[in-house]
Amino acid sequence: MTDLPAFCRLADNGLALFVRLTPRSARDAIEGMAESADGRCHLKARVRAVPENGKANTALEKLLAKQIGVPSSAISVAGGATSRLKTVELKGNREELLIRLRAIAAEQ
């Protein structure tokens, strides 16, 4: 499997995404790919939820599940629970997930 998006890595049972989350936004949305000052790439996302008691993380999981077309149970925040920069694990067939992720990134 080659040509992974820069915000994505292979994980044990699927893929790991690097996401920069903005909570308390006016809308829930995936806004495409961006690069941080240190050169790392991530997927930009924003949610209306507040960053209290994991509400923003749960909203991110639901948003990604809806956009990618997988059940919410297949997505979990695996790192950066209290940070804006998060690692999100997607469980499932890697090829199918990559096709859907590329479509989302291309729309932005």
Side-chain angles (χ1 to χ4, degrees), residues 2 4-5 12-13 33 47 50-51 55 58 61 70-71 81 89 94:
T2 60
L4 287 173
D12 291 339
N13 297 317
M33 192 173 78
V47 294
V50 296
K55 291 178 185 175
T58 300
E61 292 169 354
V70 297
E89 287 191 358
R94 290 177 181 161

Side-chain angles (χ1 to χ4, degrees), residues 60-75:
L60 173 63
E61 292 169 354
K62 289 179 182 178
L63 173 64
L64 287 171
K66 182 179 177 183
Q67 291 287 322
I68 297 170
V70 297
S72 295
S73 61
I75 298 180

